[in-house]
Amino acid sequence: MLELGTHEPVPVAVDEPAGPALLEVKGLHAWYGESHVLHGVDLRVREGETVCLLGRNGAGKTTTLRAILGIVGRRQGGVSFDGRDLTRMPLHGPARVGLGYVPEHRGIFAGLTVAENLMLPPKGAEGGMSVDEIHALFPNLKERRTSPGTKLSGGEQQMLAIARILRTGPKMILLDEPTEGLAPVIVQRIAAALRQLKARGLTVLVVEQNFRFARNIADRFYVMEGGVVVDAFGAQEVEGRLDRLHELLGV
Amino acid sequence: MTTVFGVPLQALLGQVLLGLINGSFYAMLSLGLAVIFGLLRVINFAHGAQYMLGAFVAWFLLEQLGIGYWWALLIAPLVVAALAVVIERAALSKLYGLDPLYGLLFTFGLALVIEGLFRWQFGAAGQPYATPDELVGAKNLGFMVLPIYRGFVVVASLAICLAVWLLIERTKFGAYLRAATEDRTLVQVFGVNVPRLLTLTYALGAGLAALAGVLAAPVYQVSPLMGSNLIIIVFAVVVVGGMGSIGGAILTGYALGVLEGLTKVFYPPASSIVIFVVMAVVLLVRPAGLFGREG
Ligand SMILES: Nc1ncnc2c1ncn2[C@@H]1O[C@H](COP(=O)(O)OP(=O)(O)O)[C@@H](O)[C@H]1O
Ligand SMILES: [Mg+2]
Protein backbone atom coordinates (compact mmCIF):
# COMPACT_ATOMS: atom_id res chain seq x y z
CA MET A 1 0.00 0.00 0.00
CA LEU A 2 1.52 3.30 -1.05
CA GLU A 3 0.23 5.83 1.41
CA LEU A 4 2.73 8.52 0.63
CA GLY A 5 2.68 8.52 -3.13
CA THR A 6 5.97 7.90 -4.87
CA HIS A 7 8.24 8.66 -1.94
CA GLU A 8 7.56 5.69 0.29
CA PRO A 9 10.06 6.09 3.13
CA VAL A 10 12.27 3.12 3.80
CA PRO A 11 13.35 2.18 7.28
CA VAL A 12 17.12 2.29 7.61
CA ALA A 13 19.47 0.10 9.54
CA VAL A 14 21.55 2.54 11.57
CA ASP A 15 24.72 2.08 13.53
CA GLU A 16 24.17 2.86 17.14
CA PRO A 17 26.35 2.90 20.18
CA ALA A 18 26.54 -0.53 21.74
CA GLY A 19 25.45 -1.25 25.27
CA PRO A 20 22.17 -2.28 26.84
CA ALA A 21 19.13 -0.14 26.04
CA LEU A 22 16.85 1.21 28.76
CA LEU A 23 14.10 1.63 26.17
CA GLU A 24 14.00 -0.59 23.14
CA VAL A 25 11.37 -0.26 20.42
CA LYS A 26 11.34 -2.94 17.72
CA GLY A 27 9.18 -3.04 14.61
CA LEU A 28 6.45 -0.96 16.22
CA HIS A 29 3.23 -0.58 14.27
CA ALA A 30 0.28 1.49 15.42
CA TRP A 31 -3.22 2.20 14.19
CA TYR A 32 -5.86 4.82 14.95
CA GLY A 33 -9.03 2.96 14.03
CA GLU A 34 -8.51 1.87 10.42
CA SER A 35 -5.61 4.16 9.70
CA HIS A 36 -2.19 2.57 9.93
CA VAL A 37 0.16 5.27 11.25
CA LEU A 38 3.39 3.59 12.38
CA HIS A 39 4.98 1.10 10.01
CA GLY A 40 7.68 -0.58 12.04
CA VAL A 41 9.55 1.94 14.19
CA ASP A 42 12.90 0.87 15.65
CA LEU A 43 14.75 2.86 18.26
CA ARG A 44 16.90 2.41 21.34
CA VAL A 45 17.68 4.73 24.20
CA ARG A 46 20.45 3.85 26.64
CA GLU A 47 20.47 4.81 30.27
CA GLY A 48 21.49 8.44 30.83
CA GLU A 49 21.12 9.43 27.17
CA THR A 50 19.06 12.29 25.81
CA VAL A 51 17.72 11.20 22.44
CA CYS A 52 15.76 13.44 20.12
CA LEU A 53 13.12 12.36 17.64
CA LEU A 54 12.94 14.77 14.70
CA GLY A 55 10.55 14.85 11.77
CA ARG A 56 8.01 16.93 9.96
CA ASN A 57 4.45 17.44 11.16
CA GLY A 58 2.51 14.23 10.77
CA ALA A 59 5.63 12.05 10.57
CA GLY A 60 4.41 9.95 13.51
CA LYS A 61 6.53 11.29 16.39
CA THR A 62 3.67 11.81 18.83
CA THR A 63 2.17 8.50 17.82
CA THR A 64 5.49 6.79 18.55
CA LEU A 65 5.45 8.11 22.13
CA ARG A 66 1.78 7.20 22.51
CA ALA A 67 2.36 3.72 21.12
CA ILE A 68 5.26 3.15 23.54
CA LEU A 69 2.84 3.93 26.40
CA GLY A 70 -0.13 2.10 24.88
CA ILE A 71 -2.34 5.13 24.12
CA VAL A 72 -3.29 4.01 20.61
CA GLY A 73 -6.18 1.99 19.28
CA ARG A 74 -3.95 -0.94 18.34
CA ARG A 75 -0.21 -1.61 18.27
CA GLN A 76 2.05 -4.42 17.21
CA GLY A 77 5.74 -5.01 17.75
CA GLY A 78 8.05 -4.87 20.71
CA VAL A 79 8.45 -2.24 23.40
CA SER A 80 10.68 -3.10 26.32
CA PHE A 81 11.69 -0.79 29.11
CA ASP A 82 14.19 -1.62 31.84
CA GLY A 83 13.89 -5.29 30.88
CA ARG A 84 10.10 -5.31 31.04
CA ASP A 85 7.66 -5.88 28.19
CA LEU A 86 5.44 -2.78 28.10
CA THR A 87 3.03 -4.29 25.59
CA ARG A 88 1.71 -6.65 28.23
CA MET A 89 0.91 -3.90 30.74
CA PRO A 90 -2.30 -2.00 31.41
CA LEU A 91 -2.22 1.73 30.64
CA HIS A 92 -1.14 2.54 34.21
CA GLY A 93 1.75 0.07 34.06
CA PRO A 94 4.61 2.02 32.41
CA ALA A 95 4.45 4.91 34.91
CA ARG A 96 4.71 2.44 37.76
CA VAL A 97 7.98 1.03 36.42
CA GLY A 98 9.48 4.49 36.02
CA LEU A 99 8.47 5.77 32.57
CA GLY A 100 7.18 9.35 32.79
CA TYR A 101 5.25 11.24 30.09
CA VAL A 102 4.99 14.94 29.28
CA PRO A 103 2.38 15.06 26.53
CA GLU A 104 2.05 17.36 23.56
CA HIS A 105 0.07 20.46 24.65
CA ARG A 106 1.17 19.71 28.24
CA GLY A 107 -2.01 18.15 29.60
CA ILE A 108 -2.43 20.55 32.52
CA PHE A 109 -5.78 20.04 34.28
CA ALA A 110 -7.98 23.14 34.39
CA GLY A 111 -10.01 21.89 37.35
CA LEU A 112 -6.89 21.46 39.51
CA THR A 113 -4.68 24.10 41.09
CA VAL A 114 -0.98 24.30 40.24
CA ALA A 115 -0.15 22.48 43.48
CA GLU A 116 -2.74 19.77 42.77
CA ASN A 117 -1.43 19.33 39.24
CA LEU A 118 2.07 18.99 40.65
CA MET A 119 1.06 16.38 43.22
CA LEU A 120 -1.27 14.41 40.92
CA PRO A 121 0.92 11.64 39.45
CA PRO A 122 1.58 8.99 42.11
CA LYS A 123 5.21 8.63 43.15
CA GLY A 124 7.13 5.63 41.86
CA ALA A 125 9.02 3.25 44.07
CA GLU A 126 12.05 5.36 44.92
CA GLY A 127 12.96 9.02 45.39
CA GLY A 128 11.83 11.66 42.98
CA MET A 129 12.43 15.37 43.39
CA SER A 130 11.04 17.05 46.48
CA VAL A 131 8.69 19.98 46.06
CA ASP A 132 11.49 22.27 47.32
CA GLU A 133 13.88 21.01 44.65
CA ILE A 134 11.19 21.52 42.02
CA HIS A 135 10.56 25.07 43.20
CA ALA A 136 14.30 25.71 43.03
CA LEU A 137 14.36 24.43 39.43
CA PHE A 138 11.19 26.32 38.40
CA PRO A 139 10.65 29.24 40.83
CA ASN A 140 7.51 30.47 39.00
CA LEU A 141 5.60 27.41 40.12
CA LYS A 142 6.05 28.32 43.76
CA GLU A 143 4.45 31.75 43.40
CA ARG A 144 1.49 30.38 41.45
CA ARG A 145 0.76 27.37 43.69
CA THR A 146 -2.93 28.15 44.28
CA SER A 147 -3.86 29.35 40.76
CA PRO A 148 -5.86 27.05 38.51
CA GLY A 149 -3.38 25.08 36.39
CA THR A 150 -4.47 26.53 33.07
CA LYS A 151 -4.17 30.13 34.28
CA LEU A 152 -0.39 29.78 33.95
CA SER A 153 1.47 31.08 30.91
CA GLY A 154 2.45 28.54 28.26
CA GLY A 155 6.01 28.38 29.55
CA GLU A 156 4.91 27.92 33.15
CA GLN A 157 2.50 25.18 32.07
CA GLN A 158 5.36 23.40 30.34
CA MET A 159 7.48 23.67 33.49
CA LEU A 160 4.59 22.30 35.54
CA ALA A 161 4.11 19.42 33.10
CA ILE A 162 7.80 18.50 33.44
CA ALA A 163 7.92 19.14 37.19
CA ARG A 164 5.00 16.90 38.06
CA ILE A 165 6.73 13.97 36.37
CA LEU A 166 10.09 14.70 38.02
CA ARG A 167 8.39 14.57 41.41
CA THR A 168 7.47 10.92 40.77
CA GLY A 169 11.12 9.92 40.35
CA PRO A 170 11.05 8.35 36.87
CA LYS A 171 14.02 6.55 35.30
CA MET A 172 13.11 8.03 31.95
CA ILE A 173 10.78 10.66 30.54
CA LEU A 174 9.09 10.94 27.16
CA LEU A 175 8.79 14.63 26.25
CA ASP A 176 6.59 15.73 23.37
CA GLU A 177 7.53 19.12 21.85
CA PRO A 178 8.41 20.90 25.10
CA THR A 179 9.22 24.18 23.30
CA GLU A 180 6.12 24.38 21.12
CA GLY A 181 4.80 27.93 21.03
CA LEU A 182 7.21 29.28 23.66
CA ALA A 183 9.29 32.47 23.61
CA PRO A 184 13.06 32.00 23.06
CA VAL A 185 13.97 33.01 26.61
CA ILE A 186 11.62 30.36 28.02
CA VAL A 187 13.01 27.79 25.58
CA GLN A 188 16.47 28.50 26.99
CA ARG A 189 15.25 27.95 30.52
CA ILE A 190 13.72 24.63 29.58
CA ALA A 191 16.94 23.61 27.85
CA ALA A 192 18.88 24.55 30.99
CA ALA A 193 16.53 22.50 33.14
CA LEU A 194 16.91 19.50 30.82
CA ARG A 195 20.70 19.73 30.95
CA GLN A 196 20.50 19.82 34.73
CA LEU A 197 18.33 16.70 34.72
CA LYS A 198 20.71 14.97 32.37
CA ALA A 199 23.56 15.72 34.75
CA ARG A 200 21.53 13.87 37.39
CA GLY A 201 21.42 10.83 35.13
CA LEU A 202 17.85 11.07 33.86
CA THR A 203 17.18 9.38 30.50
CA VAL A 204 15.13 11.42 28.02
CA LEU A 205 13.41 10.75 24.72
CA VAL A 206 12.29 14.11 23.38
CA VAL A 207 10.24 14.91 20.28
CA GLU A 208 11.16 18.28 18.76
CA GLN A 209 10.56 20.45 15.72
CA ASN A 210 12.86 23.14 17.08
CA PHE A 211 16.19 21.88 15.76
CA ARG A 212 18.26 24.63 17.43
CA PHE A 213 16.89 23.60 20.80
CA ALA A 214 17.36 19.91 20.05
CA ARG A 215 21.01 20.41 19.02
CA ASN A 216 21.63 21.97 22.38
CA ILE A 217 20.47 19.07 24.50
CA ALA A 218 20.56 15.80 22.56
CA ASP A 219 23.29 13.14 22.40
CA ARG A 220 21.70 11.36 19.44
CA PHE A 221 18.97 11.94 16.90
CA TYR A 222 16.43 9.90 15.01
CA VAL A 223 14.55 11.29 12.06
CA MET A 224 11.06 10.02 11.27
CA GLU A 225 9.11 10.21 8.04
CA GLY A 226 5.84 8.51 7.12
CA GLY A 227 5.70 6.39 10.25
CA VAL A 228 9.22 4.93 10.16
CA VAL A 229 12.68 5.99 11.28
CA VAL A 230 14.63 7.10 8.19
CA ASP A 231 17.85 8.36 9.73
CA ALA A 232 19.87 8.19 12.91
CA PHE A 233 23.08 9.94 13.94
CA GLY A 234 25.04 11.25 16.89
CA ALA A 235 25.44 14.87 17.96
CA GLN A 236 28.93 15.06 16.46
CA GLU A 237 27.55 14.12 13.00
CA VAL A 238 25.05 16.97 12.87
CA GLU A 239 27.34 19.43 11.03
CA GLY A 240 27.90 17.09 8.14
CA ARG A 241 24.19 16.39 7.72
CA LEU A 242 22.69 19.82 7.78
CA ASP A 243 21.72 19.73 4.11
CA ARG A 244 20.02 16.40 4.33
CA LEU A 245 18.26 17.48 7.55
CA HIS A 246 16.96 20.63 5.95
CA GLU A 247 15.53 18.49 3.21
CA LEU A 248 13.98 15.96 5.64
CA LEU A 249 12.59 18.47 8.09
CA GLY A 250 11.62 21.13 5.60
CA VAL A 251 13.32 23.85 7.65
CA MET B 1 -50.49 39.32 61.18
CA THR B 2 -47.45 39.89 58.97
CA THR B 3 -48.02 39.11 55.30
CA VAL B 4 -45.78 38.90 52.26
CA PHE B 5 -47.53 39.60 48.94
CA GLY B 6 -50.79 38.89 50.76
CA VAL B 7 -49.60 35.58 52.14
CA PRO B 8 -49.20 35.08 55.88
CA LEU B 9 -45.53 34.98 56.82
CA GLN B 10 -46.10 31.86 58.88
CA ALA B 11 -47.44 29.91 55.94
CA LEU B 12 -44.57 31.17 53.81
CA LEU B 13 -41.87 30.12 56.26
CA GLY B 14 -43.57 26.80 56.80
CA GLN B 15 -43.56 26.01 53.08
CA VAL B 16 -39.98 27.17 52.71
CA LEU B 17 -38.98 24.72 55.39
CA LEU B 18 -40.95 21.89 53.80
CA GLY B 19 -39.33 22.80 50.50
CA LEU B 20 -35.95 22.59 52.16
CA ILE B 21 -36.73 19.06 53.34
CA ASN B 22 -37.65 17.91 49.82
CA GLY B 23 -34.67 19.87 48.56
CA SER B 24 -32.44 17.86 50.90
CA PHE B 25 -33.30 14.71 48.99
CA TYR B 26 -33.03 16.43 45.61
CA ALA B 27 -29.57 17.69 46.58
CA MET B 28 -28.21 14.35 47.83
CA LEU B 29 -29.53 12.44 44.83
CA SER B 30 -28.53 14.93 42.17
CA LEU B 31 -25.09 15.14 43.75
CA GLY B 32 -24.59 11.38 43.29
CA LEU B 33 -25.87 11.56 39.72
CA ALA B 34 -23.56 14.47 38.94
CA VAL B 35 -20.50 12.69 40.39
CA ILE B 36 -21.23 9.54 38.38
CA PHE B 37 -21.97 11.43 35.19
CA GLY B 38 -18.94 13.68 35.55
CA LEU B 39 -16.48 10.80 35.52
CA LEU B 40 -18.25 7.82 33.92
CA ARG B 41 -20.34 9.78 31.39
CA VAL B 42 -23.16 7.45 32.37
CA ILE B 43 -26.61 8.81 33.14
CA ASN B 44 -27.40 6.49 36.02
CA PHE B 45 -31.08 5.67 35.66
CA ALA B 46 -30.68 3.09 38.44
CA HIS B 47 -30.19 5.91 40.94
CA GLY B 48 -33.80 5.86 42.09
CA ALA B 49 -33.67 2.09 42.52
CA GLN B 50 -30.47 2.43 44.56
CA TYR B 51 -32.20 4.99 46.79
CA MET B 52 -35.11 2.58 47.24
CA LEU B 53 -32.70 -0.27 47.99
CA GLY B 54 -31.11 1.83 50.74
CA ALA B 55 -34.49 2.31 52.37
CA PHE B 56 -35.35 -1.38 52.00
CA VAL B 57 -32.05 -2.52 53.48
CA ALA B 58 -32.74 -0.29 56.50
CA TRP B 59 -36.25 -1.71 56.79
CA PHE B 60 -34.98 -5.28 56.46
CA LEU B 61 -32.26 -4.69 59.07
CA LEU B 62 -34.87 -3.44 61.53
CA GLU B 63 -37.61 -5.97 60.81
CA GLN B 64 -35.54 -9.11 60.35
CA LEU B 65 -32.41 -8.50 62.39
CA GLY B 66 -33.47 -5.89 64.90
CA ILE B 67 -30.69 -3.57 63.78
CA GLY B 68 -31.78 0.01 64.25
CA TYR B 69 -31.63 3.28 62.34
CA TRP B 70 -28.16 4.48 63.30
CA TRP B 71 -26.45 1.28 62.19
CA ALA B 72 -28.61 1.28 59.07
CA LEU B 73 -27.18 4.69 58.13
CA LEU B 74 -23.83 2.94 57.89
CA ILE B 75 -24.72 -0.55 56.70
CA ALA B 76 -27.29 0.20 53.99
CA PRO B 77 -25.00 2.47 51.93
CA LEU B 78 -22.21 -0.10 52.18
CA VAL B 79 -24.49 -2.92 51.02
CA VAL B 80 -25.78 -0.89 48.07
CA ALA B 81 -22.26 0.33 47.22
CA ALA B 82 -21.03 -3.28 47.20
CA LEU B 83 -23.85 -4.19 44.84
CA ALA B 84 -22.87 -1.21 42.67
CA VAL B 85 -19.29 -2.52 42.50
CA VAL B 86 -20.59 -5.82 41.12
CA ILE B 87 -22.85 -4.06 38.62
CA GLU B 88 -20.07 -1.76 37.43
CA ARG B 89 -17.44 -4.51 37.12
CA ALA B 90 -19.72 -7.08 35.52
CA ALA B 91 -21.71 -4.91 33.14
CA LEU B 92 -21.46 -1.15 33.13
CA SER B 93 -17.69 -1.09 32.56
CA LYS B 94 -18.17 -3.11 29.37
CA LEU B 95 -20.22 -0.27 27.92
CA TYR B 96 -17.80 2.64 28.46
CA GLY B 97 -16.33 2.57 24.98
CA LEU B 98 -19.75 2.71 23.36
CA ASP B 99 -22.33 5.42 22.83
CA PRO B 100 -23.46 6.83 26.24
CA LEU B 101 -26.96 5.73 25.27
CA TYR B 102 -26.00 2.13 26.09
CA GLY B 103 -25.15 3.00 29.70
CA LEU B 104 -28.40 4.88 30.03
CA LEU B 105 -30.45 2.01 28.60
CA PHE B 106 -28.63 -0.54 30.76
CA THR B 107 -29.17 1.35 34.01
CA PHE B 108 -32.77 2.06 33.02
CA GLY B 109 -33.37 -1.64 32.42
CA LEU B 110 -31.65 -2.49 35.67
CA ALA B 111 -33.91 -0.09 37.58
CA LEU B 112 -37.02 -1.67 36.03
CA VAL B 113 -35.82 -5.16 36.98
CA ILE B 114 -34.96 -4.23 40.57
CA GLU B 115 -38.19 -2.33 41.10
CA GLY B 116 -40.16 -5.13 39.45
CA LEU B 117 -38.63 -7.71 41.78
CA PHE B 118 -39.48 -5.63 44.83
CA ARG B 119 -43.06 -5.06 43.68
CA TRP B 120 -43.43 -8.76 43.15
CA GLN B 121 -42.09 -9.47 46.65
CA PHE B 122 -43.65 -6.63 48.61
CA GLY B 123 -46.48 -5.26 46.49
CA ALA B 124 -46.83 -1.61 45.65
CA ALA B 125 -47.91 -0.60 49.15
CA GLY B 126 -45.44 1.07 51.47
CA GLN B 127 -43.95 -0.39 54.64
CA PRO B 128 -43.76 2.00 57.57
CA TYR B 129 -40.37 2.62 59.16
CA ALA B 130 -40.43 4.03 62.67
CA THR B 131 -38.64 7.26 63.46
CA PRO B 132 -35.65 6.52 65.71
CA ASP B 133 -36.45 7.15 69.39
CA GLU B 134 -33.91 9.92 69.73
CA LEU B 135 -35.63 11.98 67.06
CA VAL B 136 -39.30 11.46 67.89
CA GLY B 137 -41.40 14.49 68.66
CA ALA B 138 -41.83 17.98 67.33
CA LYS B 139 -40.63 21.45 68.06
CA ASN B 140 -42.77 24.57 67.91
CA LEU B 141 -40.83 27.12 65.90
CA GLY B 142 -43.54 29.77 66.26
CA PHE B 143 -44.43 29.77 62.57
CA MET B 144 -44.86 26.01 62.38
CA VAL B 145 -44.56 22.81 64.35
CA LEU B 146 -41.54 21.01 62.95
CA PRO B 147 -41.19 17.28 63.50
CA ILE B 148 -37.67 16.90 64.90
CA TYR B 149 -36.80 14.14 62.45
CA ARG B 150 -37.44 16.41 59.48
CA GLY B 151 -35.19 19.07 60.92
CA PHE B 152 -32.60 16.35 61.36
CA VAL B 153 -32.93 15.39 57.69
CA VAL B 154 -32.11 18.94 56.58
CA VAL B 155 -29.07 19.16 58.86
CA ALA B 156 -27.87 15.65 57.95
CA SER B 157 -28.19 16.28 54.23
CA LEU B 158 -26.28 19.54 54.51
CA ALA B 159 -23.52 17.71 56.38
CA ILE B 160 -23.46 14.89 53.80
CA CYS B 161 -23.33 17.28 50.84
CA LEU B 162 -20.55 19.27 52.51
CA ALA B 163 -18.60 16.09 53.23
CA VAL B 164 -18.87 14.92 49.62
CA TRP B 165 -17.93 18.36 48.36
CA LEU B 166 -14.83 18.35 50.59
CA LEU B 167 -13.98 14.83 49.44
CA ILE B 168 -14.02 15.98 45.83
CA GLU B 169 -12.47 19.42 46.18
CA ARG B 170 -9.95 18.89 48.96
CA THR B 171 -8.60 15.33 48.88
CA LYS B 172 -6.23 13.33 46.71
CA PHE B 173 -9.08 11.02 45.69
CA GLY B 174 -11.04 14.11 44.63
CA ALA B 175 -8.10 15.44 42.62
CA TYR B 176 -7.87 12.11 40.75
CA LEU B 177 -11.59 12.26 40.16
CA ARG B 178 -11.55 15.84 38.85
CA ALA B 179 -8.49 15.20 36.68
CA ALA B 180 -9.94 11.99 35.26
CA THR B 181 -13.15 13.86 34.47
CA GLU B 182 -11.03 16.06 32.17
CA ASP B 183 -8.68 13.44 30.70
CA ARG B 184 -9.07 9.87 31.88
CA THR B 185 -6.36 8.48 29.65
CA LEU B 186 -3.67 10.88 30.80
CA VAL B 187 -4.47 10.23 34.47
CA GLN B 188 -4.06 6.51 33.85
CA VAL B 189 -0.81 7.02 31.95
CA PHE B 190 0.42 8.85 35.07
CA GLY B 191 0.03 5.54 36.93
CA VAL B 192 -3.43 5.87 38.50
CA ASN B 193 -5.59 2.76 38.27
CA VAL B 194 -8.44 4.56 36.52
CA PRO B 195 -10.70 1.53 36.03
CA ARG B 196 -10.71 1.11 39.81
CA LEU B 197 -11.37 4.84 40.24
CA LEU B 198 -14.43 4.49 38.00
CA THR B 199 -15.69 1.54 40.05
CA LEU B 200 -15.22 3.44 43.32
CA THR B 201 -16.97 6.49 41.92
CA TYR B 202 -19.99 4.48 40.83
CA ALA B 203 -20.08 2.87 44.27
CA LEU B 204 -19.81 6.29 45.92
CA GLY B 205 -22.76 7.63 43.93
CA ALA B 206 -24.88 4.55 44.61
CA GLY B 207 -23.96 4.58 48.31
CA LEU B 208 -24.99 8.21 48.50
CA ALA B 209 -28.38 7.34 46.96
CA ALA B 210 -28.78 4.56 49.53
CA LEU B 211 -27.91 6.92 52.37
CA ALA B 212 -30.61 9.30 51.14
CA GLY B 213 -32.94 6.29 51.06
CA VAL B 214 -32.29 5.49 54.73
CA LEU B 215 -32.89 9.14 55.68
CA ALA B 216 -36.13 9.02 53.68
CA ALA B 217 -37.44 5.81 55.26
CA PRO B 218 -39.06 7.43 58.33
CA VAL B 219 -40.41 10.38 56.31
CA TYR B 220 -41.92 8.63 53.32
CA GLN B 221 -42.94 5.01 53.41
CA VAL B 222 -40.54 2.33 52.26
CA SER B 223 -41.99 1.21 48.95
CA PRO B 224 -40.70 -0.30 45.70
CA LEU B 225 -41.62 2.78 43.67
CA MET B 226 -40.37 5.46 46.08
CA GLY B 227 -37.31 5.96 43.90
CA SER B 228 -38.96 6.11 40.52
CA ASN B 229 -41.34 8.80 41.76
CA LEU B 230 -38.49 10.95 42.94
CA ILE B 231 -35.87 10.32 40.29
CA ILE B 232 -37.70 12.15 37.51
CA ILE B 233 -37.64 15.35 39.56
CA VAL B 234 -33.98 14.74 40.41
CA PHE B 235 -33.09 14.42 36.73
CA ALA B 236 -34.77 17.79 36.16
CA VAL B 237 -32.67 19.22 39.02
CA VAL B 238 -29.48 17.87 37.44
CA VAL B 239 -30.39 19.32 34.06
CA VAL B 240 -31.05 22.74 35.63
CA GLY B 241 -27.83 22.66 37.66
CA GLY B 242 -25.70 21.37 34.82
CA MET B 243 -24.55 17.79 34.37
CA GLY B 244 -21.28 17.13 36.08
CA SER B 245 -21.20 20.24 38.29
CA ILE B 246 -20.89 19.14 41.92
CA GLY B 247 -21.58 22.43 43.67
CA GLY B 248 -24.25 23.23 41.09
CA ALA B 249 -26.11 19.99 41.80
CA ILE B 250 -26.18 20.68 45.54
CA LEU B 251 -27.30 24.32 45.32
CA THR B 252 -29.88 23.60 42.64
CA GLY B 253 -31.31 20.75 44.71
CA TYR B 254 -32.04 22.96 47.70
CA ALA B 255 -33.09 25.95 45.61
CA LEU B 256 -35.62 24.02 43.54
CA GLY B 257 -37.00 22.36 46.69
CA VAL B 258 -37.60 25.80 48.17
CA LEU B 259 -39.03 27.11 44.88
CA GLU B 260 -41.45 24.19 44.86
CA GLY B 261 -42.47 25.05 48.44
CA LEU B 262 -43.00 28.72 47.58
CA THR B 263 -45.11 27.78 44.59
CA LYS B 264 -47.36 25.80 46.95
CA VAL B 265 -48.04 29.04 48.80
CA PHE B 266 -48.59 31.37 45.88
CA TYR B 267 -50.14 29.11 43.28
CA PRO B 268 -50.63 25.54 44.54
CA PRO B 269 -51.74 23.95 41.23
CA ALA B 270 -48.35 24.78 39.68
CA SER B 271 -46.27 23.30 42.49
CA SER B 272 -45.94 19.86 40.94
CA ILE B 273 -44.72 21.20 37.60
CA VAL B 274 -42.70 24.27 38.52
CA ILE B 275 -39.39 22.37 38.49
CA PHE B 276 -40.09 21.08 34.99
CA VAL B 277 -41.00 24.54 33.78
CA VAL B 278 -37.67 25.81 35.11
CA MET B 279 -35.93 22.90 33.40
CA ALA B 280 -37.55 23.69 30.06
CA VAL B 281 -36.59 27.37 30.32
CA VAL B 282 -33.01 26.56 31.31
CA LEU B 283 -32.68 24.08 28.45
CA LEU B 284 -33.77 26.77 26.01
CA VAL B 285 -31.69 29.60 27.42
CA ARG B 286 -28.60 27.83 28.76
CA PRO B 287 -28.49 24.20 27.61
CA ALA B 288 -25.36 23.40 29.66
CA GLY B 289 -27.28 24.20 32.86
CA LEU B 290 -26.88 27.05 35.32
CA PHE B 291 -23.53 25.82 36.66
CA GLY B 292 -22.38 23.70 33.72
CA ARG B 293 -19.50 24.75 31.53
CA GLU B 294 -20.70 25.83 28.12
CA GLY B 295 -19.41 23.17 25.74
N1 LIG C 1 -6.21 10.47 16.87
C1 LIG C 1 -5.87 10.25 15.59
N2 LIG C 1 -6.71 9.63 14.74
C2 LIG C 1 -6.38 9.39 13.45
N3 LIG C 1 -5.22 9.77 12.90
C3 LIG C 1 -4.34 10.41 13.67
C4 LIG C 1 -4.60 10.68 15.05
N4 LIG C 1 -3.54 11.32 15.57
C5 LIG C 1 -2.66 11.43 14.57
N5 LIG C 1 -3.12 10.88 13.44
C6 LIG C 1 -2.40 10.80 12.15
O1 LIG C 1 -1.23 10.07 12.36
C7 LIG C 1 -0.14 10.64 11.65
C8 LIG C 1 0.99 10.91 12.60
O2 LIG C 1 0.60 11.90 13.52
P1 LIG C 1 1.50 12.38 14.74
O3 LIG C 1 2.07 11.18 15.39
O4 LIG C 1 0.68 13.27 15.59
O5 LIG C 1 2.64 13.21 14.00
P2 LIG C 1 3.74 14.19 14.58
O6 LIG C 1 3.69 14.14 16.07
O7 LIG C 1 5.01 13.66 14.03
O8 LIG C 1 3.41 15.54 14.04
C9 LIG C 1 -0.68 11.89 10.97
O9 LIG C 1 -0.94 11.57 9.63
C10 LIG C 1 -1.95 12.19 11.70
O10 LIG C 1 -2.88 12.76 10.83
MG1 LIG D 1 3.23 15.67 17.41
Side-chain angles (χ1 to χ4, degrees), chain B:
Chain B
M1 190 166 67
T2 324
T3 62
V4 178
F5 300 123
V7 175
L9 184 63
Q10 296 203 345
L12 196 67
L13 288 174
Q15 285 302 337
V16 166
L17 198 56
L18 286 179
L20 214 48
I21 293 163
N22 285 335
S24 298
F25 291 104
Y26 301 162
M28 284 184 288
L29 290 170
S30 61
L31 174 59
L33 276 178
V35 170
I36 291 172
F37 179 78
L39 187 56
L40 281 66
R41 299 285 133 178
V42 168
I43 299 175
N44 182 32
F45 259 87
H47 217 64
Q50 284 153 346
Y51 162 84
M52 177 272 286
L53 280 175
F56 259 99
V57 171
W59 176 81
F60 181 85
L61 287 172
L62 189 63
E63 295 293 313
Q64 303 293 319
L65 307 174
I67 296 172
Y69 177 82
W70 302 104
W71 279 109
L73 277 179
L74 181 69
I75 298 170
L78 289 178
V79 169
V80 175
L83 193 67
V85 167
V86 174
I87 291 167
E88 198 273 349
R89 284 288 84 211
L92 204 51
S93 60
K94 314 279 188 263
L95 306 175
Y96 290 153
L98 308 172
D99 191 296
L101 206 54
Y102 287 91
L104 185 153
L105 287 173
F106 169 74
T107 54
F108 185 55
L110 185 70
L112 292 179
V113 170
I114 295 173
E115 284 169 357
L117 284 172
F118 274 74
R119 271 176 81 169
W120 172 56
Q121 269 298 308
F122 299 97
Q127 320 281 342
Y129 185 94
T131 304
D133 293 340
E134 295 86 345
L135 301 172
V136 171
K139 199 165 169 57
N140 192 339
L141 299 179
F143 57 90
M144 74 176 293
V145 177
L146 175 72
I148 289 173
Y149 185 78
R150 294 185 182 220
F152 167 77
V153 165
V154 175
V155 175
S157 83
L158 282 169
I160 291 164
C161 289
L162 180 68
V164 173
W165 186 85
L166 287 173
L167 174 72
I168 292 170
E169 296 296 330
R170 291 286 181 272
T171 68
K172 193 70 195 248
F173 172 81
Y176 286 152
L177 202 146
R178 276 176 287 137
T181 298
E182 283 181 48
D183 189 342
R184 225 191 253 190
T185 305
L186 187 57
V187 172
Q188 193 171 359
V189 168
F190 284 168
V192 177
N193 188 338
V194 169
R196 196 171 62 197
L197 186 68
L198 297 179
T199 307
L200 284 176
T201 302
Y202 190 67
L204 172 70
L208 206 54
L211 184 57
V214 181
L215 285 171
V219 182
Y220 311 108
Q221 297 218 308
V222 177
S223 77
L225 295 181
M226 65 190 284
S228 57
N229 295 336
L230 189 56
I231 205 65
I232 300 301
I233 299 178
V234 173
F235 273 114
V237 171
V238 172
V239 170
V240 172
M243 272 288 186
S245 161
I246 305 304
I250 299 173
L251 281 179
T252 312
Y254 290 109
L256 289 183
V258 169
L259 180 69
E260 201 180 36
L262 288 175
T263 313
K264 276 200 186 101
V265 183
F266 291 104
Y267 189 63
S271 67
S272 61
I273 60 158
V274 64
I275 288 180
F276 299 100
V277 173
V278 172
M279 177 183 87
V281 172
V282 166
L283 277 178
L284 287 174
V285 178
R286 214 183 134 83
L290 296 180
F291 299 89
R293 264 186 233 121
E294 295 286 345

